[in-house]
Amino acid sequence: MRRFLVLFGLLLVLAGVVLLFSTRTGLQFGGVSMSTSADASYLEQRTVDFLEDIRFKDFEKAATYHSIEDRRTVKIPELLERIFQVRPEFLDILRYEVLAVELDRSRTRARVKTRTVVKLLNSSEIREPEIIFYWHKDPRDGWVMKLESSLR
Amino acid sequence: MRALRCSARQFEVLVERNLELLFSDFGNTVLLLLQAPIIAGCMILVWRDVDQATDTLYFVMTLSAVWFGAINACREIVKERAIFLRELRVGLEIGSYIWARLAVLVLLGFVQCLVLVVMVNSQVALKGGPFLHFVVLLAASLAGTSMGLALSAVSGTPDRAVAGVPILLLPQILFSSVILSEPHASRVTRTLQDLTFTQWSYDAQLEVAAAEPHLGSILLAVLVLAGMAVALALLAAFLLDLGSRRA
């Protein structure tokens, strides 16, 4: 019986780790990540951070994912309105998940596909848009987002 | 009431023995475990083309989980009926025998459902995350396992038991809302739908994938599936008792 319980316990732990801490690019335990691609894991985390920032309407922080030049000109609320077709004050982001992270052969460009569940507060309508965020590796700033290119 | 008798000591010994049998029959165990990656691979091939999890994917996953359970269990009793009858004469309790079988088969179903969910989710992102999908599929697999044990209890030979699995699984497909949507179903059909594991599991998976999932509905479905599993395990015990009296 002890062997059965040990086996069952091990399977429970394995399932917990694999199902609760798995991401699209590997495993993530709090701040520690185990991934086959450091860039992919980083981009996944940065995209989730960005979505969390816009969920909590922290547009200043959301602008910091762009290059230093773009930060001065980027207008996150306007870009959000273009993405979700609704003014940011009527937007309630309920959930988001990263579906895929792809890097090109030079590993300097990447696209992160996401699915977001949003509720339009003025109509209670639920939408589940899939958005692709485009990133490029700037020699000076590292990975920076090109939110405008996601809208084209 | 002989079918309900169960002692903890016998249960423990039988679980150990069943586990030993599972590991010693390495070839068969590997073959059973390989079903999950093979079926998951086929699903990935189909659903990668549409690049998203559709309702039919959830139905196929549900059906696979029930299949895993049923095929794992369908030969378990019939293949050692002679041993069972001999041990019954020297005090084996049918309840302990059935629950011990179920306990070890649940481990097998656990691994299969885990592999299925992890593989499919890695290529076709399941809406709502993989954890709840796994819980629902495990409950469906448990119900399928009990159904397989009941089938094994009434089958004369292992071959007949395997041949009986599709006969039990076909109604699980036919009486599902995937085949006939609810507005078109008659009252009888709707009642039969409520008795199939696939319908409860499929509905729960759709709920997990919903934009605003209702956890109460998911929990209810899992409890209903667990209840069906217990009822079918008891049925297997009664059938086994009946068969042993005739033997």
Side-chain angles (χ1 to χ4, degrees), chain B residues 133-202:
Chain B
H133 284 290
F134 168 74
V135 172
V136 171
L137 290 181
L138 185 62
S141 170
L142 179 67
T145 304
S146 290
M147 183 175 75
L149 283 177
L151 175 66
S152 194
V154 289
S155 300
T157 63
D159 288 344
R160 278 189 212 160
V162 174
V165 172
I167 297 168
L168 291 180
L169 276 182
L170 268 172
Q172 299 283 336
I173 302 169
L174 286 174
F175 298 114
S176 66
S177 56
V178 170
I179 301 293
L180 193 65
S181 62
E182 195 133 314
H184 298 97
S186 70
R187 204 170 164 176
V188 177
T189 314
R190 275 204 293 269
T191 308
L192 288 170
Q193 270 182 4
D194 289 342
L195 292 173
T196 59
F197 325 132
T198 44
Q199 190 58 41
W200 284 96
S201 174
Y202 175 59

Side-chain angles (χ1 to χ4, degrees), chain A residues 1-4 7-8 11-12 14-15 18-20 24 94-95 97 99 113 115 117 119 126 128 130, chain B residues 11-12 15-16 19-20 23 51 103 107 110-111 114 118 121-122 125 127 130-131 134 210-213:
Chain A
M1 193 65 188
R2 190 186 295 164
R3 198 167 50 154
F4 172 79
L7 199 60
F8 192 56
L11 282 174
L12 278 180
L14 177 72
V18 171
L19 296 171
L20 296 174
R24 307 312 304 174
L94 300 174
R95 227 172 44 233
E97 53 197 343
L99 300 178
K113 193 174 180 187
R115 177 167 49 224
V117 181
K119 186 173 188 176
I126 301 274
E128 294 183 52
E130 287 188 358
Chain B
F11 173 77
E12 284 177 20
V15 164
E16 275 301 316
L19 211 54
E20 196 64 50
F23 289 132
D51 199 27
L107 287 186
F110 190 102
V111 176
L114 185 64
V118 169
N121 186 55
S122 71
K127 290 180 185 175
F131 180 73
F134 168 74
E212 287 182 294

Side-chain angles (χ1 to χ4, degrees), chain B residues 19-201:
Chain B
L19 211 54
E20 196 64 50
L21 286 170
L22 190 74
F23 289 132
S24 61
D25 194 0
F26 186 73
N28 188 49
T29 307
V30 168
L31 203 65
L32 289 174
L33 288 174
L34 273 178
Q35 290 179 92
I38 291 170
I39 291 174
C42 294
M43 286 181 200
I44 289 166
L45 275 178
V46 174
W47 270 276
R48 270 194 83 167
D49 291 346
V50 286
D51 199 27
Q52 62 177 333
T54 59
D55 291 355
T56 29
L57 172 66
Y58 298 125
F59 183 73
V60 175
M61 288 180 80
T62 279
L63 201 59
S64 303
V66 176
W67 165 265
F68 292 152
I71 206 76
N72 292 346
C74 70
R75 281 164 302 177
E76 289 301 299
I77 296 172
V78 66
K79 74 179 180 190
E80 54 172 45
R81 191 179 294 278
I83 300 169
F84 166 76
L85 289 172
R86 197 170 59 229
E87 291 181 346
L88 195 64
R89 275 185 238 122
V90 289
L92 175 71
E93 287 166 351
I94 297 175
S96 309
Y97 181 80
I98 288 290
W99 296 120
R101 278 270 166 228
L102 194 61
V104 172
L105 288 168
V106 164
L107 287 186
L108 206 57
F110 190 102
V111 176
Q112 289 169 320
C113 290
L114 185 64
V115 170
L116 182 75
V117 169
V118 169
M119 275 186 71
V120 172
N121 186 55
S122 71
Q123 299 298 318
V124 188
L126 298 172
K127 290 180 185 175
F131 180 73
L132 284 175
H133 284 290
F134 168 74
V135 172
V136 171
L137 290 181
L138 185 62
S141 170
L142 179 67
T145 304
S146 290
M147 183 175 75
L149 283 177
L151 175 66
S152 194
V154 289
S155 300
T157 63
D159 288 344
R160 278 189 212 160
V162 174
V165 172
I167 297 168
L168 291 180
L169 276 182
L170 268 172
Q172 299 283 336
I173 302 169
L174 286 174
F175 298 114
S176 66
S177 56
V178 170
I179 301 293
L180 193 65
S181 62
E182 195 133 314
H184 298 97
S186 70
R187 204 170 164 176
V188 177
T189 314
R190 275 204 293 269
T191 308
L192 288 170
Q193 270 182 4
D194 289 342
L195 292 173
T196 59
F197 325 132
T198 44
Q199 190 58 41
W200 284 96
S201 174

